[in-house]
Amino acid sequence: MENVEKNYPSGISIERPAPGFRDSHDPDDLWDDSRVYINIGPTHPAMHGALRMAAKLNGETIEGSYCEFGYTHRAKEKLGENRTYHNFIVYTDRLNYCSALMNNVGYALAVEKLMGIDVPERCVWLRMICCELARVTDHLICVGINAVDLGAFSFFLYGFHQREEAYTLIEKLCGARLTTSYSRIGGMMQDAPDGFEKELKAWVNRTRKVIDEMDELLTTNKIWRNRTVGVSTFDKNMCLQYSFTGPNARAAGLDIDLRRDQPYLFYKNVEFDVPVARNGDVYDRYLVRIAEIRQSLNILAQCADKMKKGPIWSEDKRVRIPDKDVVYNTMEGMIYHFKFFMEGFAVPAGEAYTAIEATNGEMGFYIVSKGTPNSHRMRIRGPSVWHYQGLTPMVKGEKIADLVAALGSINIIAGELDR
Amino acid sequence: MSLFQIIFMIGQILILTLILIHNAPIMAWVERRGAALMQNRLGPNRIGPLGLFQSAADGIKFIFKEDQIPGHVSKFYYVLAPLVSLVPSFLTFAVIPYGSQIDLGGGQILKFQIADLNVGILFTLAIASLGVYGIIMSGWASNSKYAMMGSLRSSSQMISYELSMGLSLVGILMVFSSVKLGDIAAAQGQTLLQLGPIALPKWGIFIQPLGFLIFMTSVFAETNRLPFDLPEGESEIVAGYHLEYGSMKFAILQMAEYNNMLTGSGLLATLYFGGWQMLFPLGQIYSHLALSGMTADWVRVAFEIGSFTVKVLFFMWFFVWVRWTLPRFRYDQLMDLGWKVMLPLSLVNLFITAVMISYGVI
């Protein structure tokens, strides 16, 4: 951001000029280039999470801005080096807290890759359900909050109702709603309850109807289109420059999706489309997210059909958490349980980068192991970091109301951004 | 003016003032419950039946909160601003007729309208414009960038939309050849079209449909309601001009807003929906009753006040309905709509009306 104070001739008292007062480019004009500098955030209703943006305004137009983050920095990556691999699972919940289930899966996949563990089929299906359920809830929040910022409150609550129902489903899986910690390295915390598939499919059918309703309410609304079409455009080239991934990149026409390009889990075995838009404006991001919710619902229905009964734990002795009856009834089990939770398990030396297609884009875990129960280095690629860098060029020359729309549409999650 | 008329007048003033004071809490309740209804939620339902006393609880909270004045404000104008907003919002309702009149004989006429001014609607427009001073004052006195932006938005929005609002009204004034609201309401009792048994009344909306749309949109803009609630645009400029206000002063600003809504609804009902003219079943019931003398007059007025109330309540509900359905405009789009769409349309409306009147169609 430019220096606010200029070198005025000494002895002249300088008062803050009125916004947009004059723009004469006259060196003798004290009030030339008079602009108002405004702090948006960190406690601003539109700055979801704690983000700060300092903007230079000419009237209502943003002439320059400066993004700042780090208000929710909790040293997640450093914690990953101090905690055992098992302990770190709970910290992954707090990355993108709108899709905690998916972060758990991504982390488990990363450690399993280092250890060379294969998990049973049912576990993989469960993980896919986790991922897609998380994607639906996250996208519902994103489009909903974007609409709230533009004044359409009811739209948000329709989606939020379905999200609450999804959280009830998640609660049935793991007992928690927001911070799930459901995946374990080499398995899942517990199996899905009986009849879960049926309930999931019922929810999918209900949500499809709600999505149709939401679509009808907003997609063709004239005011909504005025507010979003052509606003905060970030084209393909800029997306490449700023390493955009996920729905934000797909909205600009970058046809990338790790689920299809680098299939992990069982994404090869299900049918889904990757929605791609062209213009990369707020409207296209909204459309892509709505389309992705529909695709994810399809995937969920397919997973519910294909999932069969079976074990959910890998039989690898290193990572298998002993069952409670073994722990309470046998001496060996007790000792093993104690050692597992007090010391953790050693991961073979090596390094691995595992990326999954998270709700906002590529979420990667880069783990360097030296053969100890703690990782030597833990790095996380949160897609929001890259998207947040793009906000400044995105909103340059636009109105302050567009900033709010842009920020909502790229879905910055402070937990993932600051880590 | 006889003593009875004076007492009657004071009674009217007291009752209407009480109604206007209670308008804000009741509308707050309607808004919350209405929003809940539309959003598959419950809304406030803990205090009193259907949560009706929630607003009372809020009012008590507002009164007992510390009346803080931030250090950086311009104190005099900061305190004055809510009052400057509130007083015009009370005054404007004075000229709206909510019932016809009763002839007591001996030249004594009771009018159900506080003041039947000969400038009528012009008075409303003039006083309603004063409300913007309160908003400008609060924005300026708050000494905060967001508040300043809110008040700037509000003043430019009000000025732009007052133009098309006034022009759309000229159409209706031409048709009824009067600016007295009492006359306009009375004139709407005539029949416009007789379609068999159904008589289409000569309501403003039937002879000025375009004017009605423009006027209604302008009323939305004037009262700062969604989709035109830019002055408070919560997500952009936090709370706009009432950002720095707390406790009762904030409540007063809110009250002024709800009162403006009530006045807007009253004007919409009076100018375009027949004012106190009886609604469909009431008129028939009244003629079937076949009353006579004083009773007939009082029953008639009661029916008229009932009809007027229903119409006003419908528009109040309409304000709530729109708020929870539509997104918000952007500032420049709002200005575009005001100057490039509404203003030309109101001129077109004026032209068409003039042509139709000169050819004797209406």
Side-chain angles (χ1 to χ4, degrees):
Chain A
M1 191 171 155
E2 291 92 336
N3 193 6
V4 180
E5 299 298 325
K6 288 198 167 172
N7 294 323
Y8 291 113
S10 59
I12 297 175
S13 72
I14 294 164
E15 284 177 15
R16 182 58 63 91
F21 180 65
R22 206 178 294 163
D23 201 3
S24 61
H25 304 291
D26 177 3
D28 295 331
D29 187 356
L30 265 186
W31 309 129
D32 180 29
D33 190 30
S34 52
R35 298 290 184 262
V36 72
Y37 294 88
I38 197 166
N39 253 321
I40 306 166
T43 52
H44 184 282
M47 293 283 149
H48 308 296
L51 316 168
R52 172 173 169 253
M53 189 177 213
K56 185 168 91 166
L57 298 184
N58 176 11
E60 294 241 344
T61 312
I62 300 171
E63 289 198 335
S65 60
Y66 165 82
C67 292
E68 196 175 89
F69 63 94
Y71 289 93
T72 45
H73 184 62
R74 294 143 301 168
K76 279 274 135 64
E77 290 164 335
K78 194 67 194 167
L79 279 166
E81 293 160 20
N82 292 321
R83 300 286 184 271
T84 64
Y85 286 100
H86 177 77
N87 285 156
F88 190 65
I89 293 171
V90 291
Y91 293 99
T92 60
D93 289 340
R94 277 84 176 163
L95 288 171
N96 181 347
Y97 38 75
C98 293
S99 54
L101 279 169
M102 192 185 270
N103 305 337
N104 302 153
V105 172
Y107 175 67
L109 286 176
V111 181
E112 281 161 16
K113 190 174 181 182
L114 261 178
M115 299 180 81
I117 294 173
D118 280 328
V119 291
E121 228 175 75
R122 185 175 171 82
C123 177
V124 178
W125 284 118
L126 266 176
R127 284 179 177 180
M128 273 184 65
I129 288 176
C130 287
C131 282
E132 295 310 313
L133 210 53
R135 199 184 310 279
V136 173
T137 54
D138 192 291
H139 281 355
L140 279 175
I141 292 259
C142 174
V143 292
I145 288 291
N146 201 356
V148 169
D149 285 345
L150 301 188
F153 200 83
S154 297
F155 177 84
F156 164 65
L157 283 169
Y158 294 148
F160 215 74
H161 186 84
Q162 285 318 108
R163 176 182 173 271
E164 283 302 312
E165 287 194 358
Y167 273 13
T168 308
L169 281 176
I170 294 171
E171 201 178 352
K172 281 181 180 152
L173 278 178
C174 63
R177 290 170 79 86
L178 189 74
T179 49
T180 51
S181 306
Y182 184 39
S183 286
R184 293 285 181 272
I185 293 149
M188 298 308 262
M189 185 185 102
Q190 62 187 33
D191 201 348
D194 288 338
F196 179 77
E197 293 90 333
K198 219 170 158 186
E199 281 176 49
L200 181 68
K201 284 186 84 170
W203 175 80
V204 164
N205 287 332
R206 284 199 302 275
T207 310
R208 276 192 186 127
K209 286 199 195 88
V210 173
I211 294 295
D212 289 344
E213 200 181 339
M214 286 164 75
D215 200 6
E216 264 173 49
L217 181 65
L218 218 50
T219 307
T220 50
N221 185 306
K222 188 89 168 53
I223 303 177
W224 175 256
R225 289 180 63 108
N226 277 347
R227 285 300 307 272
T228 53
V229 175
V231 167
S232 302
T233 309
F234 216 59
D235 60 18
K236 208 170 175 177
N237 194 20
M238 290 295 272
C239 280
L240 283 172
Q241 278 183 32
Y242 279 84
S243 287
F244 270 38
T245 46
N248 299 339
R250 290 195 281 275
L254 274 181
D255 192 7
I256 46 168
D257 189 328
L258 289 178
R259 289 177 294 173
R260 184 199 57 200
D261 304 337
Q262 261 178 42
Y264 54 98
L265 299 176
F266 284 156
Y267 279 110
K268 260 186 283 187
N269 304 15
V270 291
E271 280 177 21
F272 64 98
D273 294 328
V274 179
V276 175
R278 202 176 298 134
N279 302 324
D281 52 11
V282 175
Y283 187 65
D284 279 4
R285 282 179 219 132
Y286 157 80
L287 284 185
V288 163
R289 283 210 165 80
I290 289 281
E292 270 186 29
I293 293 174
R294 292 208 168 103
Q295 293 302 325
S296 289
L297 290 174
N298 288 346
I299 297 177
L300 278 173
Q302 290 176 51
C303 290
D305 284 336
K306 291 187 178 175
M307 195 162 76
K308 300 205 172 54
K309 288 259 170 264
I312 53 158
W313 270 98
S314 154
E315 282 313 310
D316 194 309
K317 285 279 181 298
R318 289 175 296 175
V319 293
R320 177 79 166 94
I321 297 174
D323 290 329
K324 284 285 183 268
D325 58 331
V326 179
V327 175
Y328 294 143
N329 296 324
T330 66
M331 180 60 86
E332 292 76 17
M334 182 71 152
I335 293 169
Y336 183 64
H337 184 266
F338 182 77
K339 298 252 308 170
F340 183 92
F341 284 103
M342 298 311 289
E343 284 175 14
F345 49 84
V347 170
E351 49 190 84
Y353 175 72
T354 313
I356 59 164
E357 179 72 25
T359 47
N360 287 334
E362 181 181 333
M363 140 105 40
F365 288 88
Y366 181 63
I367 304 174
V368 181
S369 170
K370 295 261 169 148
T372 57
N374 299 347
S375 63
H376 180 64
R377 282 286 180 268
M378 167 85 70
R379 284 288 174 268
I380 302 163
R381 185 202 192 276
S384 285
V385 181
W386 310 91
H387 298 158
Y388 194 52
Q389 312 298 325
L391 191 61
T392 299
M394 201 183 280
V395 298
K396 192 170 167 61
E398 300 199 321
K399 299 278 181 284
I400 189 166
D402 294 334
L403 157 75
V404 175
L407 187 77
S409 73
I410 54 175
N411 198 16
I412 305 293
I413 307 281
E416 182 183 63
L417 175 69
D418 294 344
R419 298 196 289 272
Chain B
M1 199 183 258
S2 71
L3 187 66
F4 182 67
Q5 274 172 318
I6 292 170
I7 292 170
F8 182 71
M9 177 79 80
I10 292 170
Q12 278 191 81
I13 293 172
L14 282 178
I15 288 172
L16 277 182
T17 313
L18 276 176
I19 288 175
L20 282 164
I21 287 173
H22 289 95
N23 171 41
I26 290 171
M27 273 316 289
W29 177 81
V30 170
E31 189 129 50
R32 288 170 182 169
R33 292 293 292 194
L37 194 71
M38 278 177 243
Q39 296 164 346
N40 305 334
R41 302 188 282 120
L42 287 172
N45 64 348
R46 287 289 180 272
I47 308 174
L50 296 172
L52 254 173
F53 299 150
Q54 178 69 47
S55 302
D58 283 350
I60 291 168
K61 185 194 76 177
F62 275 130
I63 291 167
F64 282 101
K65 265 195 160 185
E66 188 188 351
D67 192 15
Q68 180 117 27
I69 298 177
H72 57 80
V73 301
S74 173
K75 209 170 162 188
F76 177 70
Y77 294 108
Y78 177 82
V79 176
L80 189 65
L83 298 175
V84 174
S85 308
L86 187 70
V87 171
S89 74
F90 273 95
L91 282 181
T92 38
F93 211 83
V95 288
I96 295 177
Y98 54 92
S100 61
Q101 52 197 23
I102 293 179
D103 197 344
L104 295 177
Q108 286 197 39
I109 293 171
L110 293 185
K111 279 186 177 168
F112 288 84
Q113 175 183 17
I114 293 175
D116 194 10
L117 298 180
N118 54 358
V119 287
I121 187 74
L122 299 179
F123 171 81
T124 315
L125 289 179
I127 299 293
S129 322
L130 284 180
V132 77
Y133 286 104
I135 291 172
I136 294 177
M137 244 183 232
S138 60
W140 183 81
S142 292
N143 193 12
S144 148
K145 288 169 188 169
Y146 286 116
M148 190 69 211
M149 276 167 83
S151 67
L152 283 176
R153 280 177 172 196
S154 181
S155 45
S156 50
Q157 172 178 328
M158 285 205 165
I159 289 164
S160 319
Y161 277 81
E162 229 152 57
L163 219 59
S164 42
M165 185 179 181
L167 279 174
S168 67
L169 273 179
V170 174
I172 209 122
L173 301 185
M174 279 159 71
V175 171
F176 294 115
S177 323
S178 173
V179 288
K180 286 172 88 172
L181 283 165
D183 291 355
I184 293 176
Q188 292 183 55
Q190 301 157 9
T191 308
L192 185 69
L193 268 177
Q194 189 73 38
L195 301 166
I198 305 160
L200 199 61
K202 198 183 175 184
W203 284 4
I205 185 172
F206 297 123
I207 34 182
Q208 289 279 311
L210 186 59
F212 167 69
L213 283 178
I214 297 165
F215 184 74
M216 193 176 65
T217 318
S218 307
V219 165
F220 271 90
E222 288 284 302
T223 49
N224 297 331
R225 293 283 296 185
L226 242 146
F228 303 108
D229 70 336
L230 300 172
E232 330 160 6
E234 187 213 331
S235 56
E236 300 146 25
I237 50 170
V238 196
Y241 59 89
H242 43 58
L243 176 60
E244 303 284 338
Y245 283 86
S247 75
M248 206 56 206
K249 286 201 282 294
F250 172 76
I252 286 175
L253 282 170
Q254 289 285 316
M255 244 168 108
E257 200 184 308
Y258 280 117
N259 284 353
N260 283 335
M261 263 166 72
L262 192 67
T263 314
S265 307
L267 279 179
L268 278 165
T270 308
L271 294 170
Y272 293 96
F273 278 81
W276 43 258
Q277 300 289 349
M278 282 185 238
L279 282 169
F280 160 62
L282 288 179
Q284 278 73 356
I285 291 171
Y286 177 71
S287 46
H288 273 289
L289 285 177
L291 300 166
S292 64
M294 222 55 223
T295 339
D297 281 341
W298 285 104
V299 168
R300 176 172 54 80
V301 166
F303 276 17
E304 282 166 359
I305 294 175
S307 300
F308 180 74
T309 314
V310 167
K311 289 168 189 171
V312 170
L313 288 181
F314 169 75
F315 280 109
M316 294 298 268
W317 170 248
F318 191 72
F319 275 108
V320 175
W321 190 3
V322 168
R323 175 169 180 187
W324 298 110
T325 311
L326 292 179
R328 182 185 301 128
F329 275 98
R330 200 172 64 202
Y331 179 65
D332 54 329
Q333 291 167 351
L334 177 95
M335 285 294 152
D336 281 357
L337 183 75
W339 290 98
K340 293 184 188 163
V341 181
M342 305 283 280
L343 187 61
L345 269 183
S346 50
L347 286 171
V348 166
N349 180 50
L350 203 58
F351 177 73
I352 295 173
T353 313
V355 168
M356 283 175 87
I357 287 174
S358 72
Y359 281 94
V361 183
I362 42 178

